[in-house]
Amino acid sequence: MAEAAAALGQFDFAGDDHVVPFQVEGLDVRGRAVQLGPMLDAILERHHYPTPVARLLAEVVVLTVLLGTSLKFDGKFTVQTKGDGPVDLLVADFSTPENVRAYARFDQALLAKAVEAGETEPEQLLGKGVLAFTIDQGKFAQPYQGIVALDGTSLEEIAGVYFRQSEQIPTRVRLAAAELFDRDDAGKPRHRWRAGGLVAQFLPEAPERMRHPDLHGGDGDNGDRPHGEDDAWVEARSLVETIDADELTDPLVGTERLLFRLFHERGVRVYEPRAVFDRCSCSRDKIKGVLKGFSAEEIEESQENGEIAVTCEFCSTTYRFEPTELQPAE
């Protein structure tokens, strides 16, 4: 976490596309919050995704940004879903220190049926499957992957399960995405995407305070309060759960303002924001290197009109190659 703290009076200090780390010392909570605007809009509009798909991918991008910016080393953090629903694949990755890209794959016919039936909640679009979190530190370390089942619950809840299973850290995640319809400076109608999110984690100095709730106590347990949870975490989580989705995406409610609303009575402190950008990691040289691994027969089959064209699924950039470029040097 950065050392320099921004004054809480500086509302909207960070602005869109900046992740704001924060700390609530009175509750032993640390976390990050973000509002995504132009960066997210560029990713989604590039592919002209249907609204339900765009909204779902937006949440995945927010989750990836919130978790990826916590990396303390050079590497890549990837969130990927695979399910049997109309949206069978979502993938977003964050490459340190600031680059984000994302892509969604869906079945148009199944999506149309889901929309007609009103089944457009994230869990309905994804179906049953898995959500994978992958951390790649490069060639000098083995990638780490945590896998959580897509079981009909929200992405927020699934992310919480991941932290509980993999890191044993009490965590609450909030995600939201929204469409905005307004007018540009020339008065023309304009459509934009926004999204926001927050992750809060309970990190007290005494590790025994991080224990998870016990099982239900049976007769006489009315379930009013989770057994075994620390009072500070119960309070922090309850505060986070009061956030409305509109607050996470409203351009008039900046990230710092939202954090102040939530935690000012407990002494919230915000730190230097980190910008994130819509930048793909593809390149002509990378794709050429892959194609050079093709056999002569595969090169022949890949040609169309005397050339080979490869389009990046993330950024939609098309790279064109002459077959002679891919022949091994004599």
Side-chain angles (χ1 to χ4, degrees), residues 95-175:
S95 297
T96 58
E98 59 194 11
N99 299 337
V100 183
R101 62 179 190 167
Y103 169 71
R105 187 178 67 197
F106 61 96
D107 185 297
Q108 185 66 60
L110 290 178
L111 180 65
K113 289 181 180 179
V115 172
E116 184 178 359
E119 299 174 348
T120 57
E121 292 299 314
E123 53 269 27
Q124 295 171 318
L125 295 176
L126 294 172
K128 302 294 183 181
V130 296
L131 175 65
F133 299 84
T134 305
I135 299 174
D136 188 350
Q137 299 185 52
K139 61 182 179 181
F140 299 109
Q142 289 292 324
Y144 166 80
Q145 187 172 74
I147 297 177
V148 185
L150 293 173
D151 58 1
T153 55
S154 69
L155 288 174
E156 293 180 346
E157 294 170 308
I158 292 171
V161 171
Y162 163 74
F163 278 101
R164 177 168 181 166
Q165 292 180 349
S166 66
E167 300 187 20
Q168 301 297 306
I169 299 175
T171 303
R172 185 67 172 97
V173 177
R174 296 299 312 274
L175 306 169

Side-chain angles (χ1 to χ4, degrees), residues 189-241:
R190 177 175 58 177
H191 168 266
R192 293 181 293 159
W193 279 100
R194 293 183 60 79
L198 179 147
V199 57
Q201 296 186 300
F202 185 48
L203 295 167
E205 292 185 8
E208 63 271 15
R209 293 179 59 200
M210 296 172 60
R211 64 184 181 272
H212 292 287
D214 296 331
L215 296 176
H216 193 278
D219 293 342
D221 182 359
N222 59 16
D224 290 341
R225 178 181 179 279
H227 292 272
E229 282 192 302
D230 189 275
D231 288 339
W233 175 238
V234 171
E235 179 181 344
R237 193 186 62 222
S238 298
L239 289 172
V240 171
E241 289 172 354

Side-chain angles (χ1 to χ4, degrees), residues 20-98:
V20 179
F22 68 90
Q23 180 175 357
V24 187
E25 296 177 354
L27 296 175
D28 291 312
V29 164
R30 293 185 182 183
R32 290 170 301 284
V34 70
Q35 284 191 340
L36 299 180
M39 184 274 284
L40 176 70
D41 198 45
I43 290 175
L44 298 181
E45 291 300 322
R46 181 181 298 128
H47 294 279
H48 304 291
Y49 291 119
T51 296
V53 179
R55 189 182 303 276
L56 189 55
L57 185 59
E59 289 194 8
V60 172
V61 171
V62 173
L63 181 60
T64 303
V65 166
L66 287 172
L67 304 186
T69 49
S70 69
L71 296 181
K72 306 301 183 184
F73 48 80
D74 290 336
K76 179 183 290 186
F77 178 80
T78 303
V79 176
Q80 180 173 328
T81 70
K82 286 188 177 180
D84 61 5
V87 183
D88 65 317
L89 175 70
L90 294 168
V91 58
D93 63 48
F94 175 86
S95 297
T96 58
E98 59 194 11

